[in-house]
Amino acid sequence: MDYSEIDTLIEKLKALKQKPNLLILDDESICRMRVRDVLENLGKINKLVHVYDASSYKEAIDMLNHTKIDYLICDIDLSDKKNDGFSVLSKALEKYSSSMVLMHTNRKDPEDINKAKTLGACGFCPKPITETILIDLLLDKELWSRFA
């Protein structure tokens, strides 16, 4: 891991007028916990970001309707069979066009990758998330070159 990137991220987050909001959407609690664990491993960064969880499409949409989400880590497969992570991706970017949405999934199908890219996601990464991917997301980097 490049520690200079952590320092850059800390400075970026400290310079903001308010903490950015990060929403973790996954219907599996263990996956949401893994993302939180990675954030906690990054020390100071964890204290500079508001982190929210959603375990369903409905919870995510409710959160989007009440809170500006700057970063969304979004699983594709949700327990709600009518609406998946792609639906949340579309709604998030419709409401907040500047949001950085990372599709975080076990899927590896090129069609899913292309769909995420077409809908406006900043990247598509396999589970589990790593510190490097999380740092790059919070630094507003496009993540396609690594996973597509």
Side-chain angles (χ1 to χ4, degrees), residues 64 138 143:
L64 287 165
L138 294 172
L143 303 169

Side-chain angles (χ1 to χ4, degrees), residues 34 38 42 104 125-126 128-136 146-147:
R34 170 70 179 135
V38 170
L42 294 174
H104 180 237
C125 81
I129 199 164
T130 64
E131 290 175 358
T132 303
I133 293 168
L134 193 52
I135 289 167
D136 285 351
R146 226 176 304 171
F147 306 105

